[in-house]
Amino acid sequence: MGDFIRRYHLGPLIGFLLLFIILSVVSPQFMTFGNLRNVALQTSVNMLLAVGMTFVILTSGIDLSVGSTLAMTSSVAAGLMVTHVPIWIAVVVALAIGLLAGLFNGIFVAYAGLAPFIVTLGTMTLFRGITEIYTHGTPIFNLPDSFAWLGTAQLAGIPVPVILTVIVLIVAWVILAKSVPGRRIYAVGGNEQVAYLAGVRVKKYLLLVYMVSGFLAAVAGLVLTSRLGSAEPTAGTGYELDAITAVVLGGTSLFGGEGTLVGTIIGAAILGVIDNGLNILNVNSFWQDAVRGAIILVAILLDRKKTTTI
Amino acid sequence: MSVLEMKGISKSFGTVKVLQGVDLRLESGEVLALLGENGAGKSTLMKILTGVYAADDGQIFIDGEPVHIHRIQDSRALGIEIIHQELSLFQNLSIAENFLIGHEEKYRNTFGLVDYKKLHREVADALRRVGLQRPTSTLVGSLGVGEQQLVEISRALQSNVRFLIMDEPTAALTEVETERLFELIRQLRSNGVGIIYISHRMEELYQIADKVEILRDGQFIGTRVMAEAQERELISMMVGRDVDNRYPRVPTTPGETLLEVKGLTTQYVRDINLTVRAGEVVGLGGLMGAGRTEVARALMGIDKVTRGEIVFKGKPRRFTSPREAIREGMVFLTEDRKSEGLILPFSVRENLALSTLDQRKRAGLVNRRLEKVFASDMVKRLRIKVANPEQSVGSLSGGNQQKVVLGKWLAHNPDLLILDEPTRGVDVGAKQEIYQLINEMTASGKAILMISSDLPELLGMCDRVYVMFQGTTQGEVRGSAMNQEDFMTLATGGEL
């Protein structure tokens, strides 16, 4: 039974459904298309970051720099757009910077052999600093109207960021769950030494996962910038922790090699529903963090894998 | 003079009966060998004796009095100590600090702080008793495995030990260290300590054990006086059938030269010369630390080759990663399966498939149907005892885990298979099956380079053996002249 629950992510899923049912009962507002669409829209940025974080955590790494990468790419894109650089070029540059940021992290982790926590703790501050230098610490406004499409438009009643996120989720799921590179990512996280001896190019995959994370941070940055209509140098502060929370809530092991993208999706959805629920229930904002933290702890406790014998 | 008895011990995990009415009797001043294949229930029995598990049924008596052991502390209080196969020392602490953990009360001074003076004095005494000449402030992590074991034993002896359990104590020891350990065991025995000794190495048991008890499939099979027991009888009691030949090597006529190594030198080994021909099983022997594994690592491109020539399949090669070597048909089964052979969170199927993922991919995706067929074929071919290939590999016994690692490499159909300690911690039945696989491979023209510390196995299964001494190939023993004396002469730096 335990195995069954774990294999099909029933722990997080049950928690999610429980939250869903409770909120539907206590608030008639919750179970409406409009509200659920809103939840999906608000979750999309964290969902994108959490997907990248899943890749990294599966290799037993961590990427603390995604929030700063988000701000950096957002600022550069916005900065280019207000100087009348074509939107598509600004977008491509932002995505390229995201990839470079990931490459930078990856080189330190894979080739210098430094601990991912330390490396990305450093780049978290470094990228934030670059953002502040670039923006002189002030937000960038007056973005072209057509750029707003990405964050605010809807196709068939569904927000574009949600559609984009779903596409990213499908691609990432195929890679992690179905592809050969995906299996190798799990192998690297499960035991780097064994993977190397079995002919897996460990360094290449380590580079790759940080680049995925950096790239998706850039995507998230563009979505956020478009939605808000401005780039804030302080954007994304603390987002890395939300992404990590989603991954861990989804049952992925911080030691690597174990976990699934589906788990992460559920984890991010739980966070989204909690935030939404606390808002529609008008929970005092001073209380929100405490309640949120408590729910997270309970969820993780329910899903705990190993009962220690001590 | 006391007697430890376990009577009618039974234990089940879920529906699996691990022990069924097992008896054991140990007197002080004797060494009782506990013999059985992996999964026979030896470890479980010892865990019940030390309070790690509770028995479902049965009782433990000391001197005829029933005793109740529910926790490790209970067994300690009764004078029962265990030395685990995997040592339980803190690598990051000093020898003295390792003695301190768990006995803080004993070394508390009047201010409630640690009385380090007393600690170091007593630890120094304890080390002297086991003949370990190291300062008590030495970091445990900097000691060799044999020395660490002595630390562990001396720690166990600190308490008033009456019964000592040793689980595969010599698995990682050199000959010299093993001899020293045996000396210590004899000394303990004459001091009246009763010792339960678990080992797969039959030769050792004849050297050290007074009696032997055999378990099979969780059942008590019998006890024998060691000196009177025939090896063949013991093995058949263990396996449940007759084993005709412990080393069933079927030699083939060697084909052309597959691997030729001249003057190979790395940071760890120098001037290695050897050849392996198709169809051969070539041994690489020597004492622990002679550089055997390092030769394999150099061949596979793990350690950097600084000088020398490697000709593999007629082409000069210097692989720079295992990936290249594997692609050319040279694979390496590493000695430590937990840290270098298996991905523990993975299933049996995923572990088997790891090195041959590319062979079953379709448009970059894993063809799961093919992979399942592949895995169940491999499970059948190697007779891996597993309910389902989807089972987590960590739940398998040592022998079956080893077969999974072997299966991962056989899947490659390699030309040269380097085996490093292929049967370490593997029971007799599984050993036989691994030997048969070696025969099958050489019969089909493949070659094996085998590293083993088990000398009878090395001489029994190999057609020729290169003997290493201090990082270089000292000589070769071959043919009917292969014997332990010549081997040891070379292994200790002598000439033939």
Side-chain angles (χ1 to χ4, degrees):
Chain A
M1 189 61 194
D3 272 353
F4 184 78
I5 287 183
R6 215 163 294 139
R7 177 168 321 159
Y8 298 101
H9 320 288
L10 295 189
L13 192 61
I14 290 169
F16 176 68
L17 291 178
L18 219 61
L19 267 176
F20 214 86
I21 292 167
I22 292 170
L23 286 171
S24 312
V25 172
V26 296
S27 165
Q29 252 178 291
F30 178 74
M31 238 333 223
T32 58
F33 179 72
N35 184 56
L36 294 181
R37 181 172 60 191
N38 207 15
V39 175
L41 178 62
Q42 280 166 351
T43 310
S44 55
V45 166
N46 185 36
M47 195 74 90
L48 290 167
L49 296 177
V51 170
M53 194 66 77
T54 306
F55 276 78
V56 174
I57 289 181
L58 279 176
T59 64
S60 76
I62 195 119
D63 188 352
L64 298 175
S65 71
V66 289
S68 299
T69 305
L70 179 149
M72 182 167 69
T73 52
S74 156
S75 303
V76 171
L80 290 175
M81 282 182 224
V82 293
T83 52
H84 306 295
V85 169
I87 291 173
W88 71 269
I89 290 180
V91 167
V92 169
V93 169
L95 295 176
I97 289 176
L99 280 175
L100 278 177
L103 181 68
F104 192 75
N105 284 328
I107 286 172
F108 275 95
V109 172
Y111 291 92
L114 297 176
F117 186 92
I118 307 291
V119 170
T120 59
L121 194 62
T123 53
M124 174 173 93
T125 312
L126 176 66
F127 297 160
R128 183 69 63 188
I130 291 172
T131 310
E132 276 157 8
I133 295 167
Y134 181 80
T135 60
H136 303 292
T138 52
I140 302 170
F141 296 105
N142 300 324
L143 303 182
D145 290 342
S146 51
F147 181 63
W149 179 83
L150 178 66
T152 58
Q154 296 186 354
L155 296 176
I158 300 173
V160 172
V162 175
I163 295 171
L164 179 69
T165 304
V166 170
I167 294 171
V168 167
L169 288 175
I170 292 171
V171 173
W173 178 76
V174 169
I175 292 173
L176 285 180
K178 298 283 166 191
S179 79
V180 171
R183 180 72 66 78
R184 295 200 168 121
I185 288 170
Y186 278 92
V188 169
N191 188 328
E192 212 176 292
Q193 186 68 11
V194 175
Y196 170 71
L197 290 169
V200 175
R201 278 179 285 192
V202 171
K203 288 178 178 168
K204 171 182 133 177
Y205 286 99
L206 284 177
L207 269 191
L208 191 78
V209 294
Y210 287 94
M211 288 176 76
V212 168
S213 181
F215 179 80
L216 289 178
V219 174
L222 291 169
V223 168
L224 191 66
T225 312
S226 168
R227 233 174 76 202
L228 301 177
S230 69
E232 308 260 353
T234 56
T237 308
Y239 281 23
E240 60 282 344
L241 298 181
D242 284 342
I244 294 166
T245 307
V247 175
V248 173
L249 267 180
T252 295
S253 163
L254 285 173
F255 299 109
E258 268 179 296
T260 60
L261 191 73
V262 177
T264 297
I265 295 171
I266 297 170
I270 290 176
L271 289 183
V273 169
I274 292 175
D275 288 347
N276 177 263
L278 293 174
N279 274 324
I280 58 179
L281 292 178
N282 272 325
V283 174
N284 180 325
S285 62
F286 295 127
W287 278 83
Q288 286 201 4
D289 271 344
V291 174
R292 192 167 186 255
I295 294 176
I296 291 169
L297 280 178
V298 170
I300 290 175
L301 201 62
L302 289 177
D303 190 46
R304 105 190 122 164
K305 288 190 174 170
K306 288 170 189 122
T307 44
T308 52
T309 49
I310 299 164
Chain B
M1 174 74 189
S2 31
V3 183
L4 170 75
E5 287 170 294
M6 301 177 82
K7 285 187 180 162
I9 304 289
S10 295
K11 175 76 184 170
S12 300
F13 293 110
T15 57
V16 185
K17 287 183 183 156
V18 184
L19 292 173
Q20 302 177 51
V22 171
D23 296 343
L24 181 142
R25 184 188 160 87
L26 174 68
E27 289 179 18
S28 54
E30 76 174 2
V31 177
L32 172 72
L34 196 54
L35 200 55
E37 297 194 272
N38 289 329
K42 297 171 304 219
S43 299
T44 310
L45 189 66
M46 292 304 105
K47 282 180 175 161
I48 288 169
L49 183 55
T50 50
V52 178
Y53 296 146
D56 299 338
D57 206 1
Q59 252 192 323
I60 303 173
F61 301 87
I62 291 181
D63 298 334
E65 294 289 317
V67 293
H68 300 281
I69 299 172
H70 303 293
R71 301 175 305 158
I72 297 170
Q73 288 87 331
D74 297 340
S75 67
R76 284 239 165 98
L78 292 166
I80 302 169
E81 290 281 343
I82 183 162
I83 311 288
H84 291 280
Q85 188 177 356
E86 273 132 23
L87 298 174
S88 55
L89 295 172
F90 298 95
Q91 301 288 320
N92 57 331
L93 299 181
S94 72
I95 297 176
E97 284 160 342
N98 267 283
F99 273 70
L100 178 66
I101 306 291
H103 298 96
E104 292 88 348
E105 289 300 323
K106 210 174 138 190
Y107 299 106
R108 183 168 296 181
N109 66 17
T110 38
F111 304 108
L113 304 174
V114 176
D115 185 348
Y116 275 105
K117 219 175 194 171
K118 180 181 173 195
L119 175 68
H120 283 284
R121 193 176 57 234
E122 293 192 1
V123 173
D125 285 345
L127 295 185
R128 207 167 302 128
R129 268 196 298 267
V130 298
L132 179 61
Q133 285 152 348
R134 288 280 194 174
T136 53
S137 56
T138 313
L139 206 61
V140 164
S142 70
L143 299 175
V145 185
E147 290 176 317
Q148 290 196 18
Q149 194 154 40
L150 290 176
V151 172
E152 182 129 353
I153 294 170
S154 65
R155 190 175 61 167
L157 297 181
Q158 275 305 85
S159 44
N160 212 347
V161 56
R162 290 195 286 168
F163 303 102
L164 183 63
I165 304 160
M166 304 178 105
D167 190 359
E168 296 257 7
T170 57
L173 298 194
T174 62
E175 303 268 336
V176 177
E177 288 170 333
T178 302
E179 209 29 67
R180 188 157 63 165
L181 177 71
F182 286 175
E183 205 41 59
L184 188 59
I185 291 177
R186 290 187 192 108
Q187 192 188 322
L188 289 171
R189 176 170 59 187
S190 59
N191 291 345
V193 178
I195 294 165
I196 297 177
Y197 188 93
I198 300 176
S199 174
H200 287 300
R201 298 186 179 175
M202 202 70 81
E203 292 76 14
E204 273 179 24
L205 302 185
Y206 281 105
Q207 282 184 51
I208 199 71
D210 302 306
K211 283 198 290 187
V212 57
E213 163 163 346
I214 294 102
L215 297 183
R216 184 175 75 232
D217 297 332
Q219 286 174 326
F220 172 80
I221 302 296
T223 49
R224 294 285 182 272
V225 174
M226 198 69 217
E228 296 164 10
Q230 293 296 316
E231 184 171 328
R232 217 180 135 144
E233 186 199 4
L234 294 180
I235 290 176
S236 69
M237 286 169 88
M238 234 187 331
V239 184
R241 60 183 159 80
D242 277 332
V243 175
D244 297 330
N245 187 350
R246 275 184 73 194
Y247 304 109
R249 170 74 186 136
V250 182
T252 58
T253 317
E256 57 195 68
T257 302
L258 189 68
L259 173 73
E260 181 155 26
V261 176
K262 278 189 205 149
L264 180 73
T265 300
T266 70
Q267 194 188 335
Y268 309 103
V269 293
R270 64 200 152 78
D271 291 322
I272 302 295
N273 296 303
L274 58 87
T275 55
V276 180
R277 293 164 74 185
E280 272 190 316
V281 180
V282 175
L284 198 52
L287 302 178
M288 185 92 47
R292 300 166 302 177
T293 300
E294 287 71 15
V295 171
R297 290 174 61 91
L299 293 174
M300 289 297 294
I302 302 167
D303 294 341
K304 196 172 165 358
V305 174
T306 50
R307 200 153 44 77
E309 247 183 89
I310 302 171
V311 179
F312 182 56
K313 292 202 283 185
K315 286 191 197 124
R317 295 282 188 191
R318 244 186 218 190
F319 299 125
T320 56
S321 73
R323 181 183 157 77
E324 287 177 22
I326 293 166
R327 213 161 26 185
E328 294 303 325
M330 185 193 293
V331 304
F332 176 33
L333 182 139
T334 46
E335 86 185 292
D336 186 342
R337 50 179 174 267
K338 285 244 160 69
S339 70
E340 296 182 326
L342 294 168
I343 295 189
L344 291 174
F346 273 20
S347 67
V348 171
R349 165 175 58 84
E350 288 165 328
N351 269 293
L352 283 170
L354 183 65
S355 74
T356 46
L357 285 171
D358 285 330
Q359 291 176 13
R360 285 176 301 275
K361 71 178 173 191
R362 204 177 44 192
L365 302 186
V366 175
N367 187 331
R368 196 159 297 207
R369 193 182 51 79
L370 275 187
E371 189 170 285
K372 282 187 173 162
V373 173
F374 155 79
S376 61
D377 283 353
M378 201 50 100
V379 164
K380 255 180 247 149
R381 178 175 164 201
L382 302 188
R383 282 189 267 169
I384 301 171
K385 279 186 209 126
V386 60
N388 177 342
E390 302 307 310
Q391 201 175 320
S392 146
V393 79
S395 65
L396 270 56
S397 72
N400 283 301
Q401 288 187 346
Q402 190 70 336
K403 287 192 206 166
V404 172
V405 186
L406 200 54
K408 174 172 79 179
W409 295 123
L410 291 184
H412 253 283
N413 196 20
D415 298 302
L416 177 66
L417 174 59
I418 305 174
L419 300 173
D420 194 356
E421 305 286 1
T423 64
R424 174 179 289 174
V426 170
D427 62 56
V428 178
K431 265 185 193 170
Q432 288 293 318
E433 288 172 2
I434 289 171
Y435 297 151
Q436 290 303 343
L437 284 165
I438 290 175
N439 279 335
E440 280 171 36
M441 282 204 61
T442 53
S444 64
K446 313 293 187 185
I448 311 271
L449 182 62
M450 177 156 118
I451 298 167
S452 176
S453 298
D454 184 340
L455 193 47
E457 167 183 275
L458 200 63
L459 298 177
M461 280 308 293
C462 296
D463 306 331
R464 300 184 283 125
V465 177
Y466 290 101
V467 186
M468 292 191 64
F469 174 69
Q470 291 185 351
T472 191
T473 35
Q474 179 79 6
E476 185 189 343
V477 290
R478 63 191 310 165
S480 52
M482 281 207 298
N483 62 58
Q484 304 208 1
E485 289 71 32
D486 286 354
F487 181 93
M488 286 313 296
T489 305
L490 291 171
T492 48
E495 307 268 342
L496 286 186

